[in-house]
Amino acid sequence: MRKKISASISLFLVLSSSLLFLFPAPSWAQKKDKEQLKADYKASPFYQGSSIGVEIAGIGGYLLGGDIMSSEILLQSNLKNRFLPTLEIGYGKTDVVNDANDMHYKTSAPYFRIGMDYNVFYLKPYLPGYLYVGLRYGMSSFTYDVSGPDMSDPNYGGTTVPFSYSGMKSKASWLEGVVGIKVRIYKGFHMGWAVRYKMRMSIDNHENSVPWYVPGFGKNASSSFNLTYNLIYNLPF
């Protein structure tokens, strides 16, 4: 039930952002011809401000009973309303027991991502938001604990071996392809959501265990999808 509630909230956030994005531009901001838009773009300043944001979907899912908590701070600059260099610094944790096999996995660690977004609607600054595509490089260095039921030794019948490992060190790196929308809601305040496709590049495994969850990436797999939802404020400089 909790998973269904989390999915419903995520869908609501996506739809609400999409509807806001469809709001018409103010009457004074009528569409201009293509040549005039290009001329205005060339005359616009190179640096057009920076913004800071916080990701809230991960916290919301955790408070509703999810096994994983993840949140991050977003720092982004706007260059010519077209290129958006981005830094994301976050923290992820989990403390979960798999009901199917009684395996216990625990970890918590920071992570970071760095990359660039591209504003598809850079020639249309009169819109209340924009659609963007982007690329990220992410990395996390973390330790984890894993334990489970005793295991039988295959070489000595009837002998059991404890399965418990603490402080296992690992690190992982990955790439993310991002597609998202950012929408102005009031003056310098914005909201936005993004769909991320994550591709694992590397991870440190151990002889007797592998990480189940990687902070910033999610459940350990070769690839995954993820939805993020940000509240953003444009800084006054």
Side-chain angles (χ1 to χ4, degrees):
M1 177 62 72
R2 289 177 175 176
K3 291 183 178 179
K4 290 182 179 179
I5 292 174
S6 299
S8 298
I9 290 178
S10 297
L11 179 60
F12 170 77
L13 295 176
V14 171
L15 292 176
S16 63
S17 293
S18 300
L19 290 173
L20 280 170
F21 188 69
L22 292 175
F23 283 177
S27 58
W28 49 266
Q30 299 298 322
K31 293 182 179 179
K32 301 178 181 179
D33 63 78
K34 185 175 294 186
E35 293 304 318
Q36 183 61 52
L37 288 171
K38 290 182 178 179
D40 291 346
Y41 174 75
K42 289 182 179 180
S44 65
F46 178 73
Y47 175 73
Q48 299 190 19
S50 295
S51 59
I52 185 170
V54 59
E55 202 285 317
I56 61 173
I59 295 176
Y62 183 73
L63 293 176
L64 289 170
D67 296 325
I68 295 170
M69 193 285 287
S70 180
S71 186
E72 60 206 46
I73 299 297
L74 163 75
L75 299 172
Q76 189 175 70
S77 293
N78 186 327
L79 307 180
K80 293 290 286 186
N81 197 42
R82 187 173 187 178
F83 302 104
L84 310 164
T86 302
L87 174 65
E88 296 165 335
I89 303 173
Y91 180 81
K93 73 172 187 177
T94 188
D95 187 352
V96 62
V97 176
N98 188 324
D99 294 332
N101 55 21
D102 289 331
M103 296 294 292
H104 180 208
Y105 182 85
K106 181 179 180 180
T107 188
S108 60
Y111 61 87
F112 82 91
R113 305 188 196 98
I114 189 169
M116 178 84 73
D117 290 336
Y118 179 84
N119 178 10
V120 177
F121 295 154
Y122 67 93
L123 286 177
K124 302 178 180 180
Y126 52 83
L127 292 176
Y130 57 78
L131 170 71
Y132 65 88
V133 296
L135 185 66
R136 303 279 191 278
Y137 168 80
M139 192 188 77
S140 179
S141 179
F142 59 99
T143 61
Y144 65 91
D145 302 335
V146 60
S147 61
D150 293 347
M151 303 180 66
S152 297
D153 191 322
N155 298 315
Y156 301 95
T159 302
T160 58
V161 179
F163 184 82
S164 180
Y165 300 93
S166 299
M168 307 297 288
K169 295 183 179 181
S170 183
K171 63 178 179 291
S173 62
W174 63 93
L175 290 176
E176 298 183 10
V178 185
V179 179
I181 286 176
K182 179 179 177 181
V183 183
R184 183 172 66 250
I185 52 177
Y186 179 73
K187 293 185 177 180
F189 293 93
H190 296 72
M191 66 171 64
W193 65 268
V195 176
R196 300 167 180 256
Y197 177 65
K198 304 184 179 187
M199 299 157 286
R200 191 184 65 200
M201 296 176 62
S202 65
I203 189 168
D204 290 347
N205 294 320
H206 293 274
E207 181 181 359
N208 298 311
S209 66
V210 297
W212 177 78
Y213 165 77
V214 177
F217 179 82
K219 294 181 180 180
N220 187 7
S222 59
S223 63
S224 65
F225 281 95
N226 177 242
L227 173 70
T228 54
Y229 189 85
N230 293 283
L231 297 178
I232 305 164
Y233 176 68
N234 284 356
L235 298 171
F237 53 81

